[in-house]
Amino acid sequence: MYNVTKTEVNHIPAVIMNTDKFKTITIQLQFRSQLKRERVTKRNLLSRMMVKRTLRHSTEAELLNHLAHYYGAHLTTNVGRKGQDHIITFGMEFVNNKFIREDLDIPNEMCKVLKDVLNTPFNYDDDFEEFFEREKRLYKNRLKSMKDNRAQASFQAMVDTMFETEDYKYLSHGVLEDVDALTLEDIKEEHEQMMATDDIVILTAGNVDDTITDNLSLIHSREEKRQIDHKSYLYRPATGVKRETDTQKIEQAKLNMGFRAELGSPESHMAFNVLNQMFGGTAASYLFRNIREKQSLAYQISSQIDVRNGYMFVMGGVDAENVKKAEAGILEELERFKNGDFEDSFIDEIKGMMRVNRKEVMDKPKGLIALEYNELLRKPDSPSWEAQLNSVDREMIIEISNKIHLDTVYVLTRSNENAAD
């Protein structure tokens, strides 16, 4: 178990999870703002630059050596999306002072490093131009490698088709076509905007004492508290099925299907989550058992959801000649849920699996922090996670199933000349 303290540090919300379960202390900084194309690529490149060097440590090697001196402290950054928001996470994990004999105040020093990480971009000058160009090149190569991955590229193409006129099509990792035009001045301006306008939260997990608040106060300060409402995208009904097909020299076709679901209460979001686990989200799901194992229509098949926005995506690798059969089979499996053709015991099995998975997540510092951050974004009057899960029953699964509608089918298949080989 763990105790949660919610407080403010220099007008910044802070959540402290005190637990003796971990031998390390983890601090995460969450920067949240609305995901927009004009900012998402700059934010990605900026965050990658921020953890590579600071004013105190002018090279990546020097920064890594400094962290290594403090028993291998680990500095990371990543990006993600929740609802309409783009979130940049800076994380620092380090050993607890209680487990070392050396006279080091590690939490204090690591908070100073995080302060450096946040402040340095304000001071980027011409000397950083070479560093900027290198990081831009590495970032661009990373985005290119994602496009070279056929499964990822076909999923992105499906998203582009499904959300052609919606901001949702811009994924959290940025837009390859926007990288070349970025300048160092763009990075400095984006940093200034991020620090001034983003919703910031500090989250800490570990066996900490009262001094942790003083250490956290070193990281950053604001003149006043700033909070941004967390929102999902407005529901847009599917107005017919959009279909796109592309060809490449490949053996295995990629079938991607996008669905929209109309969700309302927190309980309906949880029912959507449970349904996804039953439909295609686990190895026990209907898609895996029937489409892959029983009918052999797919080499791999799964579904995933954006539970906040009410989107469901099915991805499969299939033989080119089986694409239409696989699509029909997937829709037939969804129809079974709409008709209530499933056992109550399967609902209980999936709910039990979800409880176990949640406990496993809580056994890791980052997982515990992620759960508590989700709680911060949840509406204050929402029932607890367990209460929402308990409320899900057969009727709710059937009701949610009937609110799911196919919007887009995207297929990446082999070209005719490849088929003739």
Side-chain angles (χ1 to χ4, degrees), residues 291-332:
I291 301 299
R292 183 183 186 276
E293 298 294 306
K294 189 175 180 180
Q295 301 182 51
S296 298
L297 289 175
Y299 297 104
Q300 66 265 351
I301 186 78
S302 64
S303 67
Q304 66 183 41
I305 58 171
D306 181 334
V307 71
R308 283 180 168 81
N309 292 313
Y311 306 136
M312 182 170 73
F313 310 107
V314 176
M315 296 80 66
V318 304
D319 284 329
E321 58 269 21
N322 285 334
V323 168
K324 291 190 179 299
K325 288 182 180 178
E327 178 189 333
I330 291 166
L331 295 176
E332 286 174 7

Coordinates of all heavy atoms in Angstrom, one line a residue, residues 291-332:
I291 N -10.8 -15.5 -35.2 CA -10.2 -15.1 -36.5 C -8.8 -15.7 -36.8 O -8.5 -16.1 -37.9 CB -10.2 -13.5 -36.6 CG1 -11.6 -12.9 -36.4 CG2 -9.5 -13.1 -37.9 CD1 -12.5 -13.4 -37.5
R292 N -8.0 -15.7 -35.7 CA -6.6 -16.2 -35.9 C -6.5 -17.7 -35.7 O -6.0 -18.4 -36.6 CB -5.7 -15.5 -34.9 CG -4.2 -15.9 -35.0 CD -3.4 -15.2 -34.0 NE -1.9 -15.5 -34.2 CZ -1.3 -16.6 -33.7 NH1 -2.0 -17.5 -33.1 NH2 0.0 -16.7 -34.0
E293 N -7.0 -18.2 -34.6 CA -6.8 -19.6 -34.2 C -7.8 -20.5 -34.9 O -7.4 -21.5 -35.5 CB -6.9 -19.8 -32.7 CG -5.9 -19.0 -31.9 CD -4.5 -19.5 -32.2 OE1 -4.2 -20.7 -32.0 OE2 -3.6 -18.7 -32.6
K294 N -9.0 -20.2 -34.9 CA -10.1 -21.1 -35.4 C -10.2 -21.1 -36.9 O -10.2 -22.1 -37.6 CB -11.4 -20.8 -34.8 CG -12.5 -21.9 -35.1 CD -13.7 -21.5 -34.3 CE -14.9 -22.5 -34.5 NZ -16.1 -22.2 -33.8
Q295 N -10.3 -19.8 -37.5 CA -10.5 -19.7 -38.9 C -9.2 -19.5 -39.7 O -9.2 -19.5 -40.9 CB -11.4 -18.5 -39.2 CG -12.8 -18.7 -38.6 CD -13.7 -17.5 -38.9 OE1 -13.9 -17.2 -40.1 NE2 -14.3 -16.9 -37.9
S296 N -8.1 -19.2 -39.0 CA -6.8 -19.0 -39.6 C -6.9 -17.9 -40.7 O -6.3 -18.0 -41.8 CB -6.3 -20.3 -40.3 OG -6.1 -21.3 -39.3
L297 N -7.6 -16.8 -40.4 CA -7.7 -15.7 -41.4 C -6.7 -14.6 -41.1 O -6.6 -13.7 -41.9 CB -9.1 -15.1 -41.3 CG -10.2 -16.0 -41.8 CD1 -11.6 -15.3 -41.5 CD2 -10.1 -16.2 -43.3
A298 N -5.9 -14.7 -40.1 CA -4.9 -13.7 -39.8 C -3.7 -14.3 -39.1 O -3.8 -15.2 -38.3 CB -5.5 -12.6 -38.9
Y299 N -2.5 -13.8 -39.5 CA -1.3 -14.2 -38.7 C -1.2 -13.5 -37.4 O -0.8 -14.1 -36.4 CB 0.0 -13.8 -39.6 CG 0.1 -14.4 -40.9 CD1 -0.2 -13.8 -42.1 CD2 0.5 -15.8 -41.0 CE1 -0.1 -14.4 -43.3 CE2 0.6 -16.4 -42.2 CZ 0.3 -15.7 -43.4 OH 0.3 -16.3 -44.6
Q300 N -1.7 -12.3 -37.3 CA -1.8 -11.6 -36.0 C -3.1 -10.7 -36.1 O -3.4 -10.2 -37.2 CB -0.6 -10.8 -35.6 CG -0.2 -9.6 -36.5 CD 0.8 -10.0 -37.5 OE1 1.3 -11.1 -37.5 NE2 1.0 -9.1 -38.4
I301 N -3.7 -10.6 -35.0 CA -5.0 -9.8 -35.0 C -5.2 -9.2 -33.6 O -4.9 -9.9 -32.6 CB -6.2 -10.6 -35.4 CG1 -7.4 -9.8 -35.5 CG2 -6.4 -11.8 -34.5 CD1 -7.5 -8.9 -36.8
S302 N -5.5 -8.0 -33.5 CA -5.8 -7.4 -32.1 C -6.6 -6.1 -32.3 O -6.7 -5.6 -33.4 CB -4.5 -7.0 -31.4 OG -3.7 -6.0 -32.2
S303 N -7.2 -5.7 -31.2 CA -7.9 -4.4 -31.2 C -7.3 -3.6 -30.1 O -6.8 -4.1 -29.0 CB -9.4 -4.6 -31.0 OG -9.7 -5.1 -29.7
Q304 N -7.4 -2.3 -30.2 CA -7.0 -1.3 -29.2 C -8.0 -0.2 -29.2 O -8.6 0.1 -30.2 CB -5.5 -0.9 -29.3 CG -5.3 0.0 -30.5 CD -3.8 0.4 -30.7 OE1 -2.9 -0.4 -30.5 NE2 -3.6 1.6 -31.1
I305 N -8.1 0.5 -28.1 CA -9.0 1.6 -28.0 C -8.3 2.9 -27.5 O -7.3 2.8 -26.8 CB -10.2 1.3 -27.1 CG1 -9.8 0.9 -25.7 CG2 -11.1 0.2 -27.7 CD1 -10.9 0.8 -24.7
D306 N -8.9 4.0 -27.8 CA -8.7 5.3 -27.1 C -9.9 5.5 -26.3 O -10.9 6.0 -26.8 CB -8.5 6.4 -28.2 CG -8.2 7.7 -27.5 OD1 -8.6 7.9 -26.3 OD2 -7.6 8.6 -28.1
V307 N -9.8 5.1 -25.0 CA -11.0 5.1 -24.2 C -11.6 6.4 -23.9 O -12.8 6.6 -23.7 CB -10.7 4.3 -22.9 CG1 -9.9 5.1 -22.0 CG2 -12.0 3.9 -22.2
R308 N -10.7 7.5 -23.9 CA -11.2 8.8 -23.6 C -12.0 9.4 -24.8 O -13.0 10.1 -24.6 CB -10.0 9.7 -23.3 CG -9.4 9.6 -21.9 CD -8.3 10.5 -21.7 NE -7.9 10.6 -20.3 CZ -7.1 9.7 -19.7 NH1 -6.7 8.6 -20.4 NH2 -6.8 9.8 -18.4
N309 N -11.6 9.1 -26.0 CA -12.2 9.7 -27.2 C -13.2 8.8 -27.8 O -14.0 9.2 -28.7 CB -11.1 10.1 -28.2 CG -10.3 11.2 -27.7 OD1 -10.8 12.2 -27.2 ND2 -9.0 11.1 -27.8
G310 N -13.3 7.5 -27.5 CA -14.3 6.6 -28.0 C -13.9 6.1 -29.4 O -14.8 5.9 -30.3
Y311 N -12.6 5.8 -29.6 CA -12.2 5.2 -30.9 C -11.7 3.8 -30.6 O -11.0 3.5 -29.6 CB -11.1 6.0 -31.5 CG -11.4 7.5 -31.7 CD1 -10.5 8.5 -31.4 CD2 -12.7 7.9 -32.2 CE1 -10.8 9.8 -31.5 CE2 -13.0 9.2 -32.4 CZ -12.0 10.2 -32.0 OH -12.3 11.5 -32.2
M312 N -12.0 2.9 -31.6 CA -11.5 1.5 -31.5 C -10.8 1.2 -32.8 O -11.3 1.5 -33.9 CB -12.6 0.5 -31.2 CG -12.0 -0.9 -31.1 SD -13.3 -2.1 -30.5 CE -14.3 -2.2 -31.9
F313 N -9.6 0.6 -32.8 CA -8.9 0.2 -34.0 C -8.6 -1.3 -34.0 O -8.1 -1.8 -33.0 CB -7.6 1.0 -34.0 CG -7.8 2.5 -33.8 CD1 -7.4 3.1 -32.7 CD2 -8.4 3.3 -34.8 CE1 -7.5 4.5 -32.5 CE2 -8.5 4.6 -34.7 CZ -8.1 5.3 -33.5
V314 N -8.8 -1.9 -35.1 CA -8.4 -3.3 -35.3 C -7.3 -3.4 -36.3 O -7.4 -2.8 -37.4 CB -9.6 -4.1 -35.8 CG1 -9.2 -5.6 -36.0 CG2 -10.7 -4.1 -34.7
M315 N -6.2 -4.1 -35.9 CA -5.1 -4.3 -36.8 C -4.8 -5.7 -37.0 O -4.8 -6.5 -36.1 CB -3.8 -3.6 -36.2 CG -3.9 -2.1 -36.1 SD -4.9 -1.6 -34.6 CE -3.8 -2.2 -33.3
G316 N -4.6 -6.1 -38.3 CA -4.3 -7.5 -38.6 C -3.4 -7.7 -39.7 O -3.3 -6.9 -40.6
G317 N -2.6 -8.8 -39.6 CA -1.7 -9.2 -40.7 C -2.3 -10.4 -41.4 O -2.5 -11.4 -40.7
V318 N -2.7 -10.3 -42.7 CA -3.5 -11.4 -43.3 C -2.9 -11.7 -44.7 O -2.2 -10.8 -45.3 CB -5.0 -11.0 -43.4 CG1 -5.6 -10.7 -42.1 CG2 -5.2 -9.8 -44.4
D319 N -3.2 -12.8 -45.2 CA -2.9 -13.1 -46.6 C -3.7 -12.2 -47.5 O -4.9 -11.9 -47.2 CB -3.2 -14.5 -47.0 CG -2.2 -15.5 -46.4 OD1 -1.0 -15.1 -46.3 OD2 -2.6 -16.7 -46.1
A320 N -3.1 -11.7 -48.6 CA -3.8 -10.8 -49.5 C -5.1 -11.3 -50.0 O -6.1 -10.5 -50.1 CB -2.9 -10.4 -50.7
E321 N -5.2 -12.6 -50.2 CA -6.5 -13.1 -50.7 C -7.6 -13.3 -49.6 O -8.7 -13.6 -49.9 CB -6.3 -14.5 -51.4 CG -5.6 -15.5 -50.5 CD -4.1 -15.5 -50.6 OE1 -3.5 -14.5 -51.1 OE2 -3.5 -16.5 -50.3
N322 N -7.2 -13.1 -48.4 CA -8.1 -13.3 -47.3 C -8.6 -11.9 -46.7 O -9.2 -11.9 -45.6 CB -7.5 -14.1 -46.2 CG -7.4 -15.6 -46.5 OD1 -8.2 -16.1 -47.3 ND2 -6.5 -16.3 -45.9
V323 N -8.2 -10.8 -47.3 CA -8.5 -9.5 -46.7 C -10.0 -9.3 -46.5 O -10.5 -9.0 -45.4 CB -8.0 -8.4 -47.6 CG1 -8.6 -7.0 -47.1 CG2 -6.5 -8.3 -47.5
K324 N -10.8 -9.6 -47.5 CA -12.3 -9.4 -47.4 C -12.9 -10.4 -46.4 O -13.8 -10.0 -45.7 CB -12.9 -9.6 -48.8 CG -12.6 -8.4 -49.8 CD -13.4 -8.5 -51.0 CE -13.1 -7.3 -51.9 NZ -13.4 -6.0 -51.3
K325 N -12.4 -11.6 -46.4 CA -12.9 -12.6 -45.5 C -12.6 -12.2 -44.0 O -13.4 -12.3 -43.1 CB -12.3 -14.0 -45.7 CG -12.8 -14.7 -47.0 CD -12.1 -16.1 -47.1 CE -12.6 -16.8 -48.4 NZ -11.9 -18.1 -48.5
A326 N -11.4 -11.7 -43.8 CA -11.0 -11.3 -42.5 C -11.8 -10.1 -42.0 O -12.3 -10.0 -40.9 CB -9.5 -10.9 -42.5
E327 N -12.0 -9.1 -42.9 CA -12.9 -8.0 -42.6 C -14.3 -8.4 -42.2 O -14.9 -8.0 -41.2 CB -13.0 -7.0 -43.7 CG -13.9 -5.8 -43.4 CD -14.1 -4.9 -44.7 OE1 -13.3 -4.9 -45.6 OE2 -15.2 -4.3 -44.7
A328 N -14.9 -9.3 -43.0 CA -16.2 -9.8 -42.7 C -16.2 -10.6 -41.4 O -17.2 -10.4 -40.6 CB -16.7 -10.7 -43.9
G329 N -15.2 -11.3 -41.1 CA -15.1 -12.1 -39.9 C -15.0 -11.2 -38.7 O -15.6 -11.5 -37.6
I330 N -14.3 -10.1 -38.8 CA -14.1 -9.2 -37.7 C -15.5 -8.5 -37.4 O -15.9 -8.4 -36.2 CB -13.1 -8.1 -38.0 CG1 -11.7 -8.7 -38.1 CG2 -13.1 -6.9 -37.0 CD1 -10.6 -7.9 -38.7
L331 N -16.2 -8.1 -38.4 CA -17.5 -7.5 -38.2 C -18.5 -8.5 -37.6 O -19.4 -8.2 -36.8 CB -18.0 -6.9 -39.5 CG -17.2 -5.8 -40.1 CD1 -17.8 -5.3 -41.4 CD2 -17.2 -4.6 -39.1
E332 N -18.4 -9.8 -38.0 CA -19.2 -10.8 -37.5 C -19.0 -11.0 -36.0 O -19.9 -11.2 -35.2 CB -19.0 -12.2 -38.2 CG -19.6 -12.2 -39.6 CD -19.3 -13.5 -40.3 OE1 -18.7 -14.4 -39.7 OE2 -19.6 -13.6 -41.5

